[in-house]
Amino acid sequence: MSLTATYKLSARLFWRDKGMLPASVITPLGLAIGMPTLMRNVTAGGVTAAAQMFVGTLALILSGTAFLNITVALTMRRDQLLLKRLRATRLTDRQILLGEVASTATQTVIVMVISAVAVHLLADVPLPRDPVLFAVFAVAGAAVMATLGVAWTAAIPRGELAAPMTLPFFFLAGLASGAMGPIVDLLPSWLHPFFAALPTSAVVDVVRASYGPGTLGSDLAAAAVPALVLAVWAGVALLSIRRWFRWETRKS
Amino acid sequence: MAAIQVNHLSKSYGSFQAVDDISFEVEAGAVFALLGRNGAGKTTTIELLTGFRRPDAGTVRVLGLDPIRDRAQVRGNVGIMLQEAGFFPDLTAGQTVEIWRDFTPAARPASEALELAGLTAKAKTKVRQLSGGEKRRLDLALALLGRPDVLFLDEPTTGMDPEARRDVWEVVRDLAARGTTVLLTTHYLEEAQQLATNLAIMDRGEIVVGGDMAETLAARVGRVSFELPSVVQPGELPLPATVRGKVAVVQAADPDLAAQTLLSWASERGLRLRGLEVRTASLEDLFLELAHNGETAQNSTTTRDARA
Ligand SMILES: Nc1ncnc2c1ncn2[C@@H]1O[C@H](COP(=O)(O)OP(=O)(O)OP(=O)(O)O)[C@@H](O)[C@H]1O
Ligand SMILES: [Mg+2]
């Protein structure tokens, strides 16, 4: 019961936060729809390139709508002693954080689905061949990224630093997944395994498989390693939350 | 069983001892005032009692439970008004209460909570547009939502106008009469004297005075003050007095009797005692006396340190 309450509150605040919407929704959505559409119209054989790029831009949605957004929202609420006030109620710590994560993940999945439909209509990118695979990893990826965002707040001393301390991951994730085009091929090859180990890349890899040709067997094979990657990141996030999460700003 | 039991409780921030080995109990249905100067350790104590902070030493029991280990259960039965906590600025007062009701099983109706806090007229106002005192009222409305058995109020009336303050007193008295245990802090000593049945005065983390309000005050002296007539030397007065400027102050266990003695002494000599004031012991006198003692103690420590 109370989990639904925190979930509802968090969702309501998400869509009302006019300060955050440009970073949490408009930019990721704009890039995920705009860049593939541009690709479609300027290059020959544009549909393939557009599809390639669209899948990469999902990393931007994951890091903008999930990670960046929850990090900024939670550090702000921590600074304003809103988390403290929530803790003065009958809610448990788990209900408060889980509500935030679940709501952020939901908004993220909504943005991903909107962009998939939009590029289908605007850039002729086909819909995923395996929508279940797409959906499972969209949800899992969004949840893991939101949980990582909760954990990351512990490293941020003040609310104003939340965005600057989180934006680098947005660009890194976009770069690694090809959302910025094939720049990644120009970087030294020893960086590639590191890029592939990012949670955003894990989701993008599976989503790529869900768009490409394949069978149930090949889909499951493609999902195995990324699932493991996401599980490891989820573990890291949960352990750091346990160890370091702060409900109030450090006064000292 | 006492509703709140505190046993040898201590808490430090780094090397600073904010709460230093305090013990007290609050009986169910009692109103307990925790007093003391800024930085005395009141808020820290409340945060220890409500499970926001973990004690370094000692134990806390609220309704027989440990506020940290049994947090869920304790929170189900207490209402907390923190000294400082934020609101969502874009929600209205009414929306805030509605949302908080979702967090609270068997919550009061929103209208009732707003009414108790005297905020009905502001239900549709955004929190960012509420005045300081109105925000404090919203705070109270949230603390009362769950019909708590124990109420913690950290400076509940700070920033409220005199009328609002009296309304809050009324609410607190009413709740206490129905069996709610209340622990409050305040810098308004009249408020403490009006509401509390028991008190503790903290100074630098320690409880320096504590006990039943009436008994504590009865053990203190009252005072009579007046302008010393210019023809009179202090030594001539029938009672020992201290003189500051033109004003003479006589301390006495029974200030009424002392005033009578002084007046008849004066009329025998055809003198008038201008500006005569008779005061029974008030919490304020006690408080100032303690603060004064505290300063002297501190000064003597500094001198000793300086010499060493
Ligand atoms: N998080 C903290 N870190 C370090 N010192 C702290 C911290 N919180 C409080 N203090 C110090 O502990 C002392 C007690 O603080 P506390 O807030 O309990 O006082 P208080 O009695 O409630 O004062 P006031 O009447 O001003 O509200 C103060 O000197 C304060 O500076
Ligand atoms: Mg305080």
Side-chain angles (χ1 to χ4, degrees):
Chain A
M1 176 215 85
S2 295
L3 180 60
T4 13
T6 50
Y7 176 90
K8 263 169 43 192
L9 172 63
S10 170
R12 177 171 181 169
L13 295 167
F14 177 91
W15 293 106
R16 276 176 165 236
D17 190 345
K18 296 191 190 72
M20 267 310 282
L21 282 179
S24 61
V25 175
I26 298 170
T27 306
L29 200 60
L31 291 171
I33 299 172
M35 295 209 303
T37 309
L38 192 70
M39 222 30 149
R40 164 76 181 84
N41 294 319
V42 297
T43 49
V47 172
T48 327
Q52 277 285 331
M53 173 150 275
F54 168 68
V55 174
T57 58
L58 293 180
L60 297 178
I61 297 178
L62 285 169
S63 38
T65 313
F67 187 72
L68 175 73
N69 169 62
I70 201 170
T71 309
V72 173
L74 276 185
T75 38
M76 288 297 187
R77 277 169 218 171
R78 184 184 69 195
D79 284 11
Q80 295 161 352
L81 294 178
L82 267 162
L83 294 184
K84 187 171 186 180
R85 181 183 293 284
L86 287 173
R87 282 187 100 209
T89 65
R90 302 175 188 206
L91 299 171
T92 62
D93 293 354
R94 198 176 296 230
Q95 285 166 340
I96 297 173
L97 293 183
L98 212 58
E100 293 275 1
V101 167
S103 145
T104 307
T106 310
Q107 320 314 328
T108 307
V109 172
I110 290 173
V111 173
M112 288 167 94
V113 171
I114 292 176
S115 59
V117 173
V119 291
H120 175 62
L121 299 175
L122 298 173
D124 306 320
V125 172
L127 291 173
R129 169 187 52 79
D130 187 344
V132 175
L133 191 65
F134 176 100
V136 168
F137 273 78
V139 171
V144 170
M145 289 301 284
T147 314
L148 280 165
V150 175
W152 183 236
T153 59
I156 300 170
R158 290 195 311 278
E160 313 90 86
L161 295 176
M165 284 180 69
T166 310
L167 270 175
F169 295 104
F170 180 79
F171 294 114
L172 182 68
L175 186 72
S177 64
M180 323 259 179
I183 310 175
V184 76
D185 300 334
L186 305 175
L187 294 172
S189 60
W190 56 266
L191 277 173
H192 292 182
F194 167 70
F195 284 155
L198 292 176
T200 43
S201 304
V203 176
V204 166
D205 285 346
V206 178
V207 169
R208 220 180 275 293
S210 80
Y211 270 88
T215 58
L216 180 63
S218 73
D219 282 353
L220 288 178
V225 173
L228 195 68
V229 170
L230 284 183
V232 170
W233 280 110
V236 168
L238 291 174
L239 286 177
S240 0
I241 291 171
R242 270 221 130 128
R243 178 81 184 70
W244 289 297
F245 187 79
R246 282 180 290 121
W247 293 93
E248 289 175 53
T249 10
R250 202 171 7 218
K251 294 191 215 160
S252 56
Chain B
M1 183 194 58
I4 302 173
Q5 296 163 299
V6 176
N7 245 309
H8 298 291
L9 185 66
S10 292
K11 176 76 188 176
S12 60
Y13 299 113
S15 64
F16 180 80
Q17 194 72 38
V19 171
D20 193 359
D21 192 24
I22 62 170
S23 303
F24 62 87
E25 288 196 351
V26 184
E27 294 300 323
V31 178
F32 184 94
L34 194 57
L35 307 173
R37 292 182 283 175
N38 293 137
K42 304 178 296 293
T43 296
T44 307
T45 303
I46 287 204
E47 292 191 348
L48 289 164
L49 296 185
T50 46
F52 279 95
R53 296 186 190 281
R54 199 175 281 279
D56 296 340
T59 55
V60 172
R61 290 287 175 276
V62 174
L63 299 168
L65 301 163
D66 180 331
I68 290 189
R69 203 188 47 221
D70 313 312
R71 182 162 141 211
Q73 225 179 323
V74 174
R75 284 296 154 87
N77 296 302
V78 307
I80 305 172
M81 192 166 165
L82 294 164
Q83 181 170 9
E84 227 186 332
F87 290 106
F88 294 104
D90 291 319
L91 299 175
T92 65
Q95 287 169 335
T96 306
V97 172
E98 280 298 345
I99 287 172
W100 252 249
R101 289 185 74 239
D102 281 351
F103 303 156
T104 314
R108 285 179 204 274
S111 54
E112 184 184 325
L114 288 167
E115 182 73 45
L116 274 175
L119 210 55
T120 311
K122 293 287 173 182
K124 293 201 165 65
T125 307
K126 280 192 179 179
V127 171
R128 67 162 81 252
Q129 291 157 353
L130 293 180
S131 73
E134 287 164 352
K135 282 196 189 120
R136 215 61 194 128
R137 297 188 201 196
L138 180 55
D139 233 325
L140 180 67
L142 299 184
L144 297 179
L145 262 186
R147 305 172 207 272
D149 294 329
V150 181
L151 198 51
F152 293 95
L153 306 173
D154 197 350
E155 300 196 16
T157 63
T158 295
M160 286 189 188
D161 63 57
E163 196 189 337
R165 180 166 302 145
R166 265 153 236 274
D167 292 345
V168 172
W169 295 354
E170 214 35 62
V171 171
V172 170
R173 274 199 206 104
D174 207 53
L175 290 169
R178 293 162 195 230
T180 308
T181 311
V182 182
L183 187 149
L184 62 88
T185 77
T186 179
H187 289 296
Y188 303 106
L189 299 176
E190 190 199 350
E191 177 166 301
Q193 211 167 333
Q194 288 276 340
L195 289 179
T197 45
N198 300 77
L199 82 161
I201 300 184
M202 290 184 78
D203 190 38
R204 275 167 268 166
E206 294 176 43
I207 292 183
V208 286
V209 170
D212 181 89
M213 178 72 76
E215 282 171 23
T216 307
L217 289 180
R220 297 281 144 179
V221 292
R223 40 188 264 168
V224 183
S225 63
F226 52 91
E227 277 177 31
L228 193 64
S230 52
V231 296
V232 177
Q233 292 298 311
E236 298 172 38
L237 292 170
L239 295 167
T242 48
V243 181
R244 280 191 214 122
K246 285 204 298 184
V247 179
V249 178
V250 172
Q251 299 205 318
D254 187 343
D256 291 335
L257 187 63
Q260 275 173 23
T261 314
L262 286 160
L263 283 170
S264 49
W265 174 85
S267 70
E268 277 166 24
R269 284 161 185 75
L271 298 167
R272 280 192 65 190
L273 299 182
R274 290 177 195 280
L276 183 84
E277 275 182 17
V278 183
R279 285 171 56 188
T280 48
S282 76
L283 202 46
E284 185 148 349
D285 295 328
L286 170 58
F287 204 77
L288 293 174
E289 187 185 321
L290 287 170
H292 183 69
N293 294 347
E295 264 160 40
T296 358
Q298 205 164 24
N299 287 345
S300 59
T301 338
T302 4
T303 9
R304 218 182 310 133
D305 288 351
R307 255 183 269 137

